[in-house]
Every structure is written in structure tokens, then in C-alpha cells.
Amino acid sequence: MSSELSSLLVRDIGEQGLLERLQRFCPQDIVGDDAAVLPFPNSGQSLVVTTDVLVDGVHFSDRTTSPEDVGWRAAAANLSDLAAMGASPLGITVGLNVTGDTSVSWVEGVYQGLSDCLQQYNTQIVGGDVVRSPIVSLAITAFGQVSPSRIIRRNAANVGDAIIVTGVHGASRAGLELLLNPDFGKHLQNDERSHLIQAHQRPKPRLDVLPTLGKILDSPLPITLAGMDSSDGLADAVLQICRASGVGAELERTQILFPLVLHQFVTPDQAMNWALYGGEDFELVLCLPPEPAKTLVEQLGEGSAVIGTITTGKEVWLRDRADTFADERLTLNRGFQHF
Amino acid sequence: MSSELSSLLVRDIGEQGLLERLQRFCPQDIVGDDAAVLPFPNSGQSLVVTTDVLVDGVHFSDRTTSPEDVGWRAAAANLSDLAAMGASPLGITVGLNVTGDTSVSWVEGVYQGLSDCLQQYNTQIVGGDVVRSPIVSLAITAFGQVSPSRIIRRNAANVGDAIIVTGVHGASRAGLELLLNPDFGKHLQNDERSHLIQAHQRPKPRLDVLPTLGKILDSPLPITLAGMDSSDGLADAVLQICRASGVGAELERTQILFPLVLHQFVTPDQAMNWALYGGEDFELVLCLPPEPAKTLVEQLGEGSAVIGTITTGKEVWLRDRADTFADERLTLNRGFQHF
């Protein structure tokens, strides 16, 4: 080993740089989506697996989040990764690092939150490990099942596809703002405030979309499908799908919906920023031909919308049919940036 | 929440106490074995999942273990949990916590060790997550597949079953001793030393036993089967099986084999201690009726042996047919104790 190599530290290349170097240890065909997809032998079905690690002080904090919400949000994020692949959940495992000073009721609160969220989707914690450690950290692995013809991949968008969202964006980011700045939006009605805060503390993975989507895919002619979830923001989702599929997109600003109540306490520009870049709304962003896309939007109802079209080229543009805002080109650098 | 409850800390009840309290969040029928077993829908097959968390300074150390060996041992422990359930591996995920000061080559060494071990068993790393954290920690989830009729459970041992081991015990513990005390056993030949050290650094999960076992189970009459791996020691494995099955056992001291070379540098009593309590040999301990047990031992060959019999009652006794040693009653307290 050269001394140069051995002296390179994680801080020199960052988590993203390290992840890229580690990908050579994984099979190339199953890296780069929300979750790994493997054939489950002798079943004609696929197994879908996703892992998230959450560290106290980095991904959650005792000071701003109840243990029940830490658990709920962790479960929701993992179930959303399964939904993003088209998979139904089978269970999760939890690898827990706790310190000697961690309160038992805090740990039980996290598990209660995990269980509460999982129960909504008829699934459960099936195992795990608990170890003593200098820090508190949670490693969650969720696994699910999908029929190979129903897998949703990032890299399958085609020019001419409609881009749809399964719900409004920006609610989670607005809820976070209300938690961070209690004076902000204080003239909102209680149910409006709590709706936004709930969107942040108890996000809902869109597993409910899968049966509706499944019926539309059961057409005589095969329907191509691409997509992912919007956990890192709507802009990021569209950009990731376009990058993986080698295509571009045009989004129509007037079609990107945020909760109406946002008009009462932020500018339209701020609301659009939260919708595009806020993240953690856990909606699905799907690309499919215009006709089935329209049917899906109609069946999903309120909040679901066609927001744009897949184009040739590699650029993603946000256009304004109303001509109030200048056209804006979206880029991954901005998409990764959390406010 | 009462203030008494909220003030209880993890250090007050320990990891084992915490694990017991957390079991109420898991379905009762899938807790308490080496891994969780779930039906995989529409397949007639079962999915087996196991999770281990390893913390730097607790479960491994830079100072005594190369990163490649950390990776190999972590993969081997998880694959052994699958083998203990009768399951063939489909893949693992890795949730990695690293500090900014962690060397990139160390991380790559761990992944190399994981991959090297997995490759021996035709499986691989299929995904994971990397996060920055104040400590280094690895959460590994392994998943595998088993036909429901081939599942090996701890709680299925019957009175009259033969207890067999798939190989010798004590080699891993002896290898650790040679690493900790280089002067110890210095008159051993190089290949003898390296064989023992290899047993500690590169243990082999006994997935190779499953096809042989499968053929024996394919008999016209159904054969009952119980078992687990000996990762926490041979004594612990027998005691856990007996506790879960509500039975006792008699082990025959002369049948418990340790590597012959141990005679050259420790007393027979010390060698037997290592075999019974040393741990990390990753052999399988199986209980099945005497006839198929005998066939299995013959087919597995060297190192495999019938070591005792399942009895009524709940006690586990170590007898000495040669009458050199007094009968000894084994208990879980001692079994959990690592030297």
C-alpha cells in the first residue's frame, strides 16, 4: 500500500466520494437506485432491500424531535425507498447503537414510533441487534417484494413521457420552519399549523399508490415506467431520473403544487423553493406515457398532477406558462442543497 | 410517563435487558433464533434475515485486527447465522459509520474482506449506506432463502436425538491466544500456528453442510431437526437449544474434539475449556434422530462427531466415559462468559 493511499482520510473525499469508491465492491447492475433488487430464487419475484443509517446529532436530535417521531420518520424513509421501487414491504431490521447514558424510555419511544408507522402499512420489525457504543445510531434495513414487471427504476424514462407527482410538495419543509421558528406563521389556524407540522414529523410513504399503479400497468400493451421518491426534494428526483435515463425534462411551474396555506405566510418564490428543494415529502415522481399518466393522476386525486414532460437533451428546465417567472435551469448541485 | 421510567438508563439494565424490553415490538414467533424467518409471498419459500452491529473498540480493534480480517469475520458471522437457520445467502447490506479521521484504505480493506468471504459462498454486498459519525461502526444485514421444510430452529430438539457437531471446537480461541501472546506455543511448527491463527482470523461459516444435510432430510419419512451455530461457544449452543426446546442433554467428553495440536501447548482441561466456551468456531450444532445423525457425520467426515444425546429434564451434563474427569453440569452463565 502506498503511503499516499494509506494517508487519505474520509474527510478528504467526503461520504459521497467514499460511497463511489465502495461501489466497486457491489454488482454494477444493482447500484444507483433507491434500493437493491435481487431475484428471489424459485419464485419469479424480486427481493428489494434498502439500508439507512441515522446518527444522533447528525440526522436527528433529542432537542428537536421526540423519540416517537425519530422512529416514525426512519421507518417512513425506508418504506418510501421500497415504494420508490414499486415494492411492498415484508419487514425491517434495526441495528441500534446506544450509550450507557441513553434513557430506556427514549429507545422504547423510537421503537414505538417505528412500529406505529410500520403498522399503517401492515408490516413490522422482524429482528435486529443492540450494542453499547459511544454514540446513538440506528441502522435500518427494510426489505420488500415486487413482481419484476412492476419494478420502478430511475433509468427507464423515455422522451415524451409525462412526469407526474403523487401529491403536493413543500409541506414537510414548511412544517420544519414552523417548528424551528414558532413565531413564524403564528397567525395560521391551529389545524393549518398542525397539518404542516404533521407533514414533517409523520410523513407518509406512498405505498398506497402501488395498487392503483398496478392496475394501470395491467394493460394489454406494456407500459414503460420510471421513477423514484422525492425524499431529497422534487428537483433532485427529476434530475436523478433524467441523469440515470440520459434524458432531459421540462417542468411547468404552474403545475407544481404546494399546500395552499403557504400563500398565507411566505412568498410564492419561497413556497416554490420549498416545493423543489425542501425534501422529505416522500411523494413518488413517476414517468410514463401521457395517456396512462393522465389516468393515474385522475385516480390518485387531489395533489397528484402532471408536472412536465421528458425531453431529449440532458437539461431540466422549469418553465412558467404564466410568464411571471423567468425560465430556470435546475441542476443537481442546487438539488442536493438542503435549506 | 413516570419520572422513574424516564430516568432508567441503558447502563442500569444492560444490552440484554434492553433487548428483552424491545422484543415486545417484534412478532413473538420470529424472535429468539439466529435469524428471523418470514414467508416470502407467492413463492412457497422463506426469507431469512439477520443483523449484527460491530463497534470499533468493542467488537474489533485496529490494533489487533487488519481491516480485511474485520470484514471477513463480520461476513462470516452473518453467513453463519444464515447457515444456522438452514438458509442459503442472497446478499448482505452494510450500514457504515465512519469518522472524518478514518483512513479510506482501512474502509476499503474492510469491504475487501467482506467481499472475499462472501465470494467463497457465491454471494455479495448488494447495497448499504455510509454516514459520518463520531465513531466507526458497521451494521450488517444478511438475507437468505430456505425451503420451509429445511428450516433449522433452536426449539425443535426431541428427547433421544443425537447431538452432532460439524467440526472441531477450540481452534479459534487457540488462534486468538497465539495472537495475544506470541511467545505462547512458540515451539509449534509454522503451519500449525498459522492453521490456528487462520481459524480465528478467517473462520468459515458451514454453509457447505446444507446440501449434505438436505439430501439426508429428503427421506421418505420426515426427519425432525434442530440446531444453531456455535459462534458463542459449543456449550452455549447446546444450552440454548435445550432451553428453547424444553429438554436436557448429556454430552460425552471424549467425543468433543479439539485440534490435536492443542495437546502440545495446553492442558487437556484448558483445551476442553476453549472447545466448550471459546466461541467463534462457527460450526453447526444439530439435533436429529440417531440414524440420520450417524449418516450425516459419516458424510461430513473429519471433525464431525456425535457428541451426545438429548434427554428429558432441563439439565445439560458433561460426562466422561473414561472417568478421568468428574461429571460437570453446564450452565448458561458460564456459557455466556468469554475468556
Side-chain angles (χ1 to χ4, degrees):
Chain A
M1 192 186 302
S2 79
S3 65
E4 192 193 341
L5 182 63
S6 69
S7 64
L8 190 68
L9 302 180
V10 168
R11 76 157 53 88
D12 300 327
I13 59 171
E15 287 99 312
Q16 202 56 35
L18 183 59
L19 255 177
E20 278 161 26
R21 290 175 80 117
L22 295 177
Q23 286 190 357
R24 71 181 162 95
F25 296 104
C26 302
Q28 282 314 303
D29 55 329
I30 59 174
V31 167
D33 235 309
D34 293 78
V37 182
L38 304 166
F40 193 83
N42 310 320
S43 74
Q45 300 282 306
S46 295
L47 173 67
V48 177
V49 186
T50 177
T51 293
D52 269 338
V53 182
L54 305 171
V55 179
D56 182 22
V58 181
H59 303 96
F60 59 87
S61 164
D62 251 0
R63 292 179 299 282
T64 58
T65 314
S66 76
E68 289 79 8
D69 288 340
V70 169
W72 180 289
R73 286 163 52 88
N78 278 276
L79 293 183
S80 183
D81 280 336
L82 295 181
M85 303 299 299
S88 303
L90 297 172
I92 72 165
T93 60
V94 184
L96 177 68
N97 293 24
V98 281
T99 71
D101 287 331
T102 306
S103 114
V104 170
S105 68
W106 183 88
V107 176
E108 292 182 322
V110 172
Y111 275 66
Q112 189 64 56
L114 286 165
S115 294
D116 289 345
C117 179
L118 295 172
Q119 200 174 17
Q120 296 292 316
Y121 302 94
N122 297 315
T123 191
Q124 52 199 350
I125 303 168
V126 300
D129 195 11
V130 174
V131 300
R132 198 80 72 92
S133 155
I135 57 143
V136 175
S137 167
L138 276 168
I140 296 185
T141 301
F143 35 95
Q145 180 201 32
V146 62
S147 173
S149 63
R150 299 281 173 83
I151 298 172
I152 306 171
R153 295 192 188 274
R154 296 184 186 182
N155 65 1
N158 295 306
V159 174
D161 276 355
I163 304 167
I164 78 154
V165 291
T166 55
V168 300
H169 282 80
S172 174
R173 183 62 186 79
L176 174 61
E177 195 67 32
L178 295 177
L179 287 167
L180 293 174
N181 303 309
D183 283 349
F184 194 65
K186 64 184 166 188
H187 58 285
L188 293 180
Q189 288 176 20
N190 277 344
D191 62 337
E192 292 169 334
R193 285 184 67 82
S194 68
H195 174 77
L196 294 176
I197 288 173
Q198 195 79 353
H200 180 74
Q201 290 177 332
R202 300 267 157 159
K204 293 185 175 132
R206 296 305 305 271
L207 287 160
D208 61 297
V209 168
L210 301 184
T212 311
L213 181 60
K215 277 183 203 141
I216 291 171
L217 294 178
D218 272 344
S219 83
L221 292 174
I223 293 171
T224 63
L225 175 68
M228 63 178 286
D229 74 357
S230 61
S231 54
D232 288 331
L234 174 55
D236 177 72
V238 174
L239 286 158
Q240 296 282 0
I241 291 167
C242 287
R243 187 167 71 163
S245 302
V247 295
E250 290 204 0
L251 304 182
E252 172 50 44
R253 185 182 271 265
T254 55
Q255 288 294 102
I256 295 176
L257 303 180
F258 43 80
L260 280 179
V261 65
L262 264 59
H263 283 298
Q264 294 183 34
F265 67 111
V266 292
T267 63
D269 205 33
Q270 176 68 286
M272 181 58 65
N273 264 332
W274 284 353
L276 287 172
Y277 302 110
E280 306 206 342
D281 288 306
F282 295 116
E283 296 295 337
L284 299 183
V285 181
L286 301 171
C287 304
L288 62 175
E291 274 308 307
K294 202 177 138 208
T295 310
L296 180 58
V297 164
E298 281 164 12
Q299 292 187 7
L300 292 177
E302 201 184 321
S304 179
V306 174
I307 61 164
T309 307
I310 295 293
T311 60
T312 55
K314 310 221 161 175
E315 298 180 355
V316 176
W317 284 90
L318 183 65
R319 312 280 190 198
D320 184 12
R321 202 185 290 156
D323 269 344
T324 313
F325 294 90
D327 288 352
E328 190 180 336
R329 187 177 161 203
L330 308 183
T331 61
L332 269 180
N333 290 343
R334 184 150 186 213
F336 276 122
Q337 197 175 36
H338 288 243
F339 284 76
Chain B
M1 189 188 302
S2 78
S3 65
E4 191 192 342
L5 182 61
S6 68
S7 65
L8 190 68
L9 302 181
V10 168
R11 76 157 53 87
D12 301 326
I13 59 173
E15 287 98 312
Q16 201 56 36
L18 183 59
L19 255 178
E20 279 162 26
R21 290 175 79 117
L22 295 177
Q23 285 189 0
R24 71 180 162 95
F25 296 104
C26 300
Q28 281 315 304
D29 54 330
I30 59 174
V31 166
D33 233 309
D34 293 79
V37 182
L38 305 166
F40 193 83
N42 309 319
S43 73
Q45 300 282 305
S46 295
L47 173 67
V48 178
V49 187
T50 176
T51 293
D52 267 339
V53 182
L54 306 171
V55 179
D56 182 24
V58 181
H59 304 96
F60 59 87
S61 164
D62 252 357
R63 292 178 299 283
T64 58
T65 315
S66 76
E68 289 79 8
D69 289 341
V70 169
W72 179 290
R73 285 164 52 90
N78 277 277
L79 293 183
S80 183
D81 280 336
L82 294 181
M85 303 300 299
S88 302
L90 297 172
I92 73 164
T93 61
V94 184
L96 177 68
N97 293 23
V98 281
T99 71
D101 287 331
T102 307
S103 114
V104 170
S105 68
W106 184 87
V107 176
E108 292 182 323
V110 172
Y111 274 66
Q112 190 63 58
L114 285 166
S115 295
D116 288 347
C117 179
L118 295 172
Q119 200 173 18
Q120 296 291 316
Y121 302 94
N122 296 314
T123 190
Q124 52 199 351
I125 303 170
V126 299
D129 195 11
V130 174
V131 300
R132 198 81 73 90
S133 155
I135 56 142
V136 176
S137 167
L138 276 169
I140 296 184
T141 301
F143 33 95
Q145 180 199 31
V146 62
S147 173
S149 64
R150 300 279 173 84
I151 299 173
I152 306 172
R153 295 192 188 275
R154 295 184 186 182
N155 66 2
N158 295 307
V159 174
D161 277 353
I163 304 167
I164 77 152
V165 291
T166 54
V168 300
H169 282 82
S172 174
R173 182 61 186 81
L176 174 62
E177 195 68 31
L178 294 177
L179 286 167
L180 292 175
N181 303 312
D183 281 350
F184 194 66
K186 63 185 167 188
H187 59 285
L188 293 180
Q189 287 174 20
N190 277 343
D191 62 337
E192 293 170 334
R193 284 183 69 81
S194 68
H195 174 78
L196 294 175
I197 288 173
Q198 195 79 354
H200 181 73
Q201 290 177 332
R202 300 267 158 159
K204 293 188 174 126
R206 297 305 305 270
L207 287 160
D208 61 297
V209 168
L210 301 184
T212 311
L213 180 61
K215 276 183 206 142
I216 290 171
L217 294 179
D218 272 343
S219 83
L221 291 174
I223 294 171
T224 63
L225 176 67
M228 62 180 285
D229 74 358
S230 61
S231 53
D232 288 331
L234 174 55
D236 176 72
V238 174
L239 287 158
Q240 296 283 0
I241 291 167
C242 287
R243 187 167 69 162
S245 302
V247 295
E250 291 204 359
L251 303 182
E252 173 50 44
R253 185 181 271 265
T254 55
Q255 288 293 102
I256 295 176
L257 304 181
F258 43 80
L260 280 179
V261 65
L262 264 60
H263 283 299
Q264 294 184 34
F265 67 109
V266 293
T267 64
D269 206 32
Q270 178 66 286
M272 182 57 66
N273 265 332
W274 286 352
L276 287 173
Y277 302 110
E280 305 205 343
D281 288 305
F282 296 116
E283 295 294 338
L284 299 183
V285 181
L286 302 170
C287 304
L288 63 176
E291 273 307 309
K294 200 175 140 213
T295 310
L296 180 59
V297 164
E298 280 164 11
Q299 293 188 4
L300 292 177
E302 200 184 322
S304 178
V306 174
I307 62 164
T309 307
I310 295 293
T311 60
T312 53
K314 312 220 160 179
E315 297 180 357
V316 177
W317 285 90
L318 182 64
R319 313 277 189 201
D320 184 12
R321 201 185 292 155
D323 269 344
T324 313
F325 294 90
D327 288 352
E328 190 181 335
R329 188 177 160 202
L330 307 184
T331 62
L332 269 180
N333 291 342
R334 184 152 187 213
F336 276 123
Q337 196 176 38
H338 287 244
F339 283 76

